[in-house]
Amino acid sequence: MAEIHTLMVNDVPAFVLHTVDYKPLEDMGFTVVEHDSADSLLSAGPQVEYVLTWDFEATWYQRFPRLRCVFTPAAGDDWARPDPSDRVPVSHGSYHGELMSESVLSALLFMNHRMPQMIRNHDRRGWDRVTQGKSRLLSGQSVLIVGYGHIGERCARVISPHVREVIGVRRDPSLSNGAPIPVRSMSELPELLPRSDHVVMLLPGGAATDRFMNADRLSLMKPGGFIYNFGRGNSLVEKDLIPALVHLGGAFLDVTEEEPLPQDSLFWSHEGVFVTPHSSAIFEDYRRLFIEEVCEHLGNASQPL
Amino acid sequence: MAEIHTLMVNDVPAFVLHTVDYKPLEDMGFTVVEHDSADSLLSAGPQVEYVLTWDFEATWYQRFPRLRCVFTPAAGDDWARPDPSDRVPVSHGSYHGELMSESVLSALLFMNHRMPQMIRNHDRRGWDRVTQGKSRLLSGQSVLIVGYGHIGERCARVISPHVREVIGVRRDPSLSNGAPIPVRSMSELPELLPRSDHVVMLLPGGAATDRFMNADRLSLMKPGGFIYNFGRGNSLVEKDLIPALVHLGGAFLDVTEEEPLPQDSLFWSHEGVFVTPHSSAIFEDYRRLFIEEVCEHLGNASQPL
């Protein structure tokens, strides 16, 4: 009987799996062995065929001769690293769009109807019926998704009914043939940024996206427009954002250059900025969606039992 | 040439019409005469055929012998009162659903992902990645609309793609034949309240709705459920809501029994409550939608020129 070994340790409680979460795998006939440390997982090496983990270092693969797949919930390869020998595939979670799309739509509606200012109205027990009168309906507006991949596609589907237009940009638009919205190349940003009311960043981390949204690109944004970062903090130059907020309507940052965002960051006090703690995918459903996806992969594989 | 007289005075800037807003009416051939006081409007009485106004008292009708219609943006008859003689119709704005549906969807996403708590996290410059992990995706949840009329129908259409189920209740469900969602009678609330994750109140004001949502009905709500009031403050008993918040997930109040909400209200400081200043329809688009609707009515009427 095939064994699945797990190392689902994480600082975020919603991302920590427990025995009860693995029941669908046991129902499929797998034996689930839970580990609470890397040492424990590594010592089980020889008999392990499948691993469910947040972390897997490149050097570990040689310790798992029978390993057939590493399943990790993360969308990116920051924590579970690829096998240098290319022997063992790493399966990344692909359900983040289902979670994040609710957070992105919420942020669009939140910023558009001036909720950062209405929070301050609430704080001072006020009755400000002026500020929101400057908001136009989201239904007449345009959204640009920068970094259009499978998360962006899910967001586009969820957002589209509520706006006039959603456009995506990515390095290689040919990868999005058949997308439900127009997908352009990054080179078209100089034309797209000035006509977008909302710019939603979903770029992955890494050197290729470092400092992507800088003073030059921010200056191209529409006066009064809103910027959102739900990708990775390295892609938005924070010291360039503060001065840009003079002409922008505001910023919603779920990720920041340094996380947690330092206490002395100006974003905490800026009236047009709202910060959430890299939490757009933090839902109770996270664990269930991960296990459902693992089950689907294992069910589709040649019978493993 | 028919004259349209206006008295569009209001405390909310987004609800005050200006000369530029009337251009579509002038383009139709009407002469628009703007008044800034009731006295001024009343003195024009005899030649007035159409009035656009926030306020029209029942006693005024006899002063306008040629009056053919009163157009008011308000959805309810709190301010522009009906003609006691039934001679002159009052046309109420019917576009509030288009505005309010964005606010209602926003509030659902906001409460569901624990944003009142995340506002406090932001206030203390925190990095709370625990609280939102108790949220389940909105897509798996059920919404009950209490007071299902044309605003409720628009909200239901906007919300439906994002939830498992939307159900409406109203006094006479037969008025909602053909509705896009199931519409039940108020008598079914004892079965519906316990299974709804979100209860959105859209009841009109008046004696018939006074104290509608009281301790008994609140106690029937699902543990952890959220309540929203986007109708009128008289329909929710505020002194009953505070103790109910022990078992509820939270409350989003756009309207309150007394407006502005008094400074000493416990709602300002309760961690699960967020208050907006009766602003769910406050958008820049309000004026445009009102004039578009007046134009449509006048265009459909027998040629008035």
Side-chain angles (χ1 to χ4, degrees), chain A residues 260-277:
Chain A
L261 182 65
Q263 297 269 327
D264 63 357
S265 167
L266 294 174
F267 294 137
W268 291 120
S269 54
H270 196 289
E271 73 162 3
V273 179
F274 195 72
V275 178
T276 45

Side-chain angles (χ1 to χ4, degrees), chain B residues 49-60:
Chain B
E49 290 179 56
Y50 300 100
V51 167
L52 268 53
T53 187
W54 279 102
D55 301 289
F56 205 96
E57 295 185 16
T59 55
W60 293 2

Side-chain angles (χ1 to χ4, degrees), chain A residues 204-221:
Chain A
T209 61
D210 259 349
R211 305 176 60 80
F212 183 88
M213 191 61 77
N214 54 20
D216 283 351
R217 291 198 168 109
L218 288 165
S219 74
L220 291 175
M221 279 182 64

Side-chain angles (χ1 to χ4, degrees), chain A residues 125 129 132 162 278-279 284, chain B residues 129 132 135 162 263 279:
Chain A
R125 305 184 177 212
R129 304 188 79 207
Q132 291 176 296
H162 304 291
H278 200 148
S279 62
E284 190 180 301
Chain B
R129 305 188 79 205
Q132 291 176 297
S135 301
H162 304 290
Q263 296 270 326
S279 61

Side-chain angles (χ1 to χ4, degrees), chain A residues 97-165:
Chain A
E98 186 172 346
L99 302 153
M100 291 173 62
S101 59
E102 290 198 1
S103 298
V104 171
L105 177 61
S106 182
L108 287 170
L109 289 158
F110 179 90
M111 294 303 286
N112 191 53
H113 210 198
R114 305 293 195 279
M115 288 297 279
Q117 290 84 346
M118 299 319 288
I119 289 168
R120 287 171 169 79
N121 171 73
H122 184 108
D123 284 347
R124 62 176 176 264
R125 305 184 177 212
W127 203 254
D128 170 5
R129 304 188 79 207
V130 176
T131 298
Q132 291 176 296
K134 294 160 195 160
S135 302
R136 290 177 302 114
L137 284 169
L138 193 62
S139 58
Q141 298 190 49
S142 59
V143 177
L144 183 68
I145 296 178
V146 177
Y148 186 85
H150 66 272
I151 292 173
E153 179 161 328
R154 180 69 181 226
C155 290
R157 287 186 191 278
V158 167
I159 294 166
S160 289
H162 304 291
V163 299
R164 179 173 52 76
E165 175 184 68

